[in-house]
Amino acid sequence: MTSRDTLYVGGEWVKPSTTNTIDVISPFTEEVIATVPEAGEADVDRAVEAAQAALAGPYPQLGADERADWITKLSGAIGARSQEFADTITAEMGSPASWSLMGQVFSATMVLDSFAELVRTFPFEEHRAGAFGPVLVRKEPVGVAVGIIPWNVPLFVAMLKLAPALAAGAPIILKPSPETPLDGYLLGEVIDEIGLPKGMVSILPAGREVGEYMVRHPGVSKVGFTGSTAAGRKVGAICGEMLKRVTLELGGKSAAIVLDDADLAAQIPLLMPNALMNNGEACVAQTRILAPRSRYGEVVDAVAEVVKATTVGDPTDPSNAVGPLVAERQRERVLSYIDKGNAEGAKLAVGGGRPAGLEKGWFVEPTLFVDVDNKMTIAQEEIFGPVLSVIPYDSEADAVAIANDSDYGLSGSVWTGDVERGIDVARRVRTGTYGVNAFSTLDLKAPFGGFKSSGMGRELGPEGLSAYLETKTIVLPGDYTPPS
Ligand code: NAD
């Protein structure tokens, strides 16, 4: 990996304002693989100034088709370097190579493609009949946006913010996490390559203090934040006080309900990638598996078989399904949850520690707890690692109640022989997205976000685009007719 000494500000590679740096540490070798500048407050000021100039410049005035063309170009340029992006993300945060090309990169270009398609037909101007006569309802760029990115799916989450911003015509400043700044440098390079109008995008890797400075910046109108619920509350409070537009995509503790008519042989192998993907470092991970008491042993056996067979090791080796966790502190956090599970009386069925034979790297064994009560800490708190619980339930209503007994409400799934029965369960679970016998619990063209402490607002789809737009009503004279 290449070290860097510049920042991408308003379409230029510039020297940073401070000498602060970020060491990127491989979670597999525990060695520093690159050093990059850490953006400071003066860099944020410069990026906001460039973004304000871009807001007045040509890009926001482009027609929808031209904005769509830019988004398509960006998707193509990322796609052309997809393996490099995937390898970089695997190197900086340990996402297994078996997943990173699809989960980290193609999912990101698919987000761009879906916004390029959407923007061509989105009603940016609508003539309506008002109470006094005709009105024109217009959607305009929200202003300068900031996108705050977590380390677990850095490129994908960046696109959840960048794609609607470009679709709306809003300049955006992205803040990658200090753990994963390197893919942001590749992104800056491809934005340069395609020649996107200057000022539309800045990329400033930094920690939470500079992140908070960005959120508070008076020149910023909109914040798209993805991260922990604790940090999201802070960001939401600042935005509330300053009346900034904000979208918060936060944590989850999603329940996969296995109904008594499920075909376990066919459906558990579909469910399990949703539970363990990206080393369990996924906000939508289905970490609570709810099993009917009548078939509890069968579900436990089927789940345990998959967890036992899950290969752990070098994330660059495509035969491994689980790599190391992002940081030493994350491994300690996950191990401490395993201790809590044991202490609170859950039964450890598989794993539970550091894998044998891997002396280096922040690994945790894929771990399964059974006989878990939903009140236990491991069933209530987001662990963000490869640790699953199987929880018994007595009836369908009981399963729905357990799924809903959570501060979170991000995602969930149901596994059944009867799709209509599954949809009925889906209607009763209070989460922002849900899967019925589906390989994914979110769809890249449909709104994504959380109920309850999982966040506010939605990304993706027309709702995700609307989050980067302001609505203006223009009241017209009573005899006005729009030009045909
Ligand atoms: P985190 O909250 O520690 O950090 C996320 C980002 O926010 C980082 O860029 C960080 O520097 C920044 N940040 C932290 N405090 C801030 C503040 N006060 N002001 C401005 N910026 C601040 O989370 P993390 O550990 O990087 O990521 C893991 C979390 O993200 C998990 O809880 C996970 O569920 C959540 N997540 C949610 C989604 C979703 O779409 N709902 C997707 C991915 C990850």
Side-chain angles (χ1 to χ4, degrees):
M1 296 294 132
T2 319
S3 288
R4 310 285 183 140
D5 59 5
T6 53
L7 294 168
Y8 193 63
V9 177
E12 311 278 354
W13 294 100
V14 301
K15 290 282 172 210
S17 65
T18 76
T19 53
N20 298 345
T21 55
I22 297 170
D23 284 339
V24 184
I25 302 175
S26 157
F28 178 52
T29 64
E30 302 182 19
E31 279 158 19
V32 175
I33 54 171
T35 300
V36 303
E38 179 180 23
E41 294 182 358
D43 301 308
V44 176
D45 294 342
R46 279 198 281 180
V48 173
E49 200 180 311
Q52 291 284 3
L55 193 59
Y59 186 97
Q61 274 79 50
L62 293 178
D65 283 343
E66 291 166 291
R67 297 204 297 273
D69 289 343
W70 279 115
I71 298 169
T72 301
K73 262 192 210 166
L74 180 58
S75 169
I78 294 175
R81 292 173 71 177
S82 51
Q83 193 61 55
E84 194 184 350
F85 271 99
D87 293 346
T88 300
I89 295 170
T90 291
E92 57 189 352
M93 57 69 67
S95 186
S98 54
W99 189 77
S100 49
L101 197 56
M102 179 63 218
Q104 300 280 7
V105 186
F106 290 149
S107 60
T109 56
M110 285 167 77
V111 168
L112 287 164
D113 296 342
S114 70
F115 276 102
E117 189 187 320
L118 173 67
V119 77
R120 289 183 198 278
T121 55
F122 189 82
F124 287 98
E125 284 202 350
E126 252 185 290
H127 286 279
R128 298 189 197 166
F132 308 128
V135 294
L136 174 60
V137 178
R138 247 177 83 72
K139 305 284 181 181
E140 299 183 354
V142 70
V144 173
V146 155
I148 296 190
I149 316 297
W151 45 262
N152 64 327
V153 266
L155 184 67
F156 174 70
V157 173
M159 292 310 115
L160 294 179
K161 290 136 180 57
L162 177 68
L166 291 182
I172 186 163
I173 301 163
L174 297 172
K175 190 197 82 59
S177 278
E179 292 82 359
T180 49
L182 299 180
D183 60 283
Y185 278 90
L186 300 184
L187 180 62
E189 286 173 10
V190 299
I191 289 171
D192 247 7
E193 251 167 60
I194 65 168
L196 189 76
K198 291 201 185 302
M200 288 304 294
V201 182
S202 293
I203 306 172
L204 299 180
R208 67 185 48 184
E209 291 78 15
V210 173
E212 208 169 304
Y213 181 80
M214 280 181 191
V215 171
R216 285 190 189 280
H217 202 293
V220 168
S221 303
K222 155 84 192 177
V223 177
F225 174 88
T226 299
S228 60
T229 293
R233 284 187 209 285
K234 189 86 200 277
V235 168
I238 298 168
C239 291
E241 187 192 317
M242 298 184 77
L243 299 180
K244 292 186 189 228
R245 289 19 176 181
V246 65
T247 308
L248 301 171
E249 298 290 356
L250 310 177
K253 191 72 195 178
S254 300
I257 301 177
V258 180
L259 291 180
D260 53 10
D261 63 357
D263 174 351
L264 299 185
Q267 293 182 320
I268 295 292
L270 283 177
L271 184 171
M272 292 305 285
N274 284 292
L276 287 171
M277 68 176 153
N278 205 29
N279 310 331
E281 295 167 319
C283 53
V284 292
Q286 309 289 298
T287 52
R288 294 184 291 152
I289 299 170
L290 276 43
R293 229 177 264 282
S294 59
R295 300 186 70 188
Y296 190 72
E298 276 177 83
V299 175
V300 165
D301 289 348
V303 172
E305 193 183 328
V306 178
V307 178
K308 274 186 202 146
T310 300
T311 45
V312 188
D314 180 352
T316 65
D317 177 347
S319 68
N320 288 323
V322 166
L325 299 182
V326 67
E328 188 172 14
R329 65 160 201 288
Q330 185 68 11
R331 181 182 61 191
E332 294 318 306
R333 183 183 145 91
V334 172
L335 290 175
S336 79
Y337 274 114
I338 293 174
D339 289 345
K340 276 188 196 141
N342 287 319
E344 292 179 15
K347 190 170 145 209
L348 190 61
V350 184
R354 296 176 55 171
L358 289 167
E359 298 317 320
K360 278 224 159 164
W362 298 310
F363 292 98
V364 172
E365 286 177 299
T367 295
L368 179 65
F369 280 107
V370 299
D371 298 344
V372 176
D373 184 298
N374 197 56
K375 298 285 178 215
M376 291 177 183
T377 308
I378 54 167
Q380 287 293 325
E381 296 187 12
E382 186 182 47
I383 299 175
F384 231 55
V387 181
L388 308 180
S389 296
V390 188
I391 302 171
Y393 68 83
D394 292 313
S395 63
E396 197 180 286
D398 188 31
V400 169
I402 294 171
N404 284 334
D405 177 18
S406 173
D407 286 344
Y408 294 111
L410 188 59
S411 153
S413 59
V414 62
W415 304 85
T416 173
D418 177 350
V419 173
E420 290 304 327
R421 190 180 167 199
I423 294 172
D424 186 48
V425 167
R427 287 194 180 106
R428 288 181 282 155
V429 177
R430 293 190 48 78
T431 64
T433 55
Y434 207 80
V436 180
N437 295 347
F439 87 98
S440 166
T441 61
L442 68 92
D443 185 286
L444 302 179
K445 289 187 178 176
F448 169 62
F451 283 25
K452 302 191 269 182
S453 298
S454 289
M456 272 170 57
R458 294 293 178 269
E459 294 186 311
L460 293 171
E463 291 81 358
L465 175 53
S466 298
Y468 287 80
L469 293 165
E470 284 283 12
T471 302
K472 176 185 283 176
T473 296
I474 303 175
V475 179
L476 297 164
D479 60 354
Y480 177 81
T481 46
S484 47

